[in-house]
Amino acid sequence: MKIELPIYKLEAEISLLRMEMISTAEHKGIEHPETIKCSQALDVLLNRYQKIKCR
């Protein structure tokens, strides 16, 4: 059974990860593996957020 985060916590996590991804891209480049990893993690959170909002 998967436990969903409250929407406000998910929004905060998305915001933090977005800032981390932007910072990483600025310092290491958009094609750096760390930037790509952040981007992929952000995609997962955004997909979860979208599913919750569309209920």
Side-chain angles (χ1 to χ4, degrees):
M1 182 174 153
K2 189 174 185 180
I3 299 172
E4 289 293 333
L5 287 174
I7 192 80
Y8 70 92
K9 287 187 178 182
L10 186 54
E11 289 169 341
E13 197 172 329
I14 288 169
S15 181
L16 288 172
L17 191 53
R18 182 178 286 132
M19 287 187 290
E20 180 183 339
M21 183 188 68
I22 291 168
S23 177
T24 303
E26 288 174 344
H27 292 93
K28 297 182 179 183
I30 61 172
E31 294 183 4
H32 191 277
E34 196 173 322
T35 304
I36 293 169
K37 185 177 177 179
C38 283
S39 177
Q40 291 170 338
L42 183 58
D43 286 344
V44 170
L45 292 181
L46 289 170
N47 287 336
R48 284 174 54 190
Y49 181 82
Q50 188 65 31
K51 284 180 185 179
I52 291 169
K53 292 299 264 186
C54 288
R55 285 186 192 167

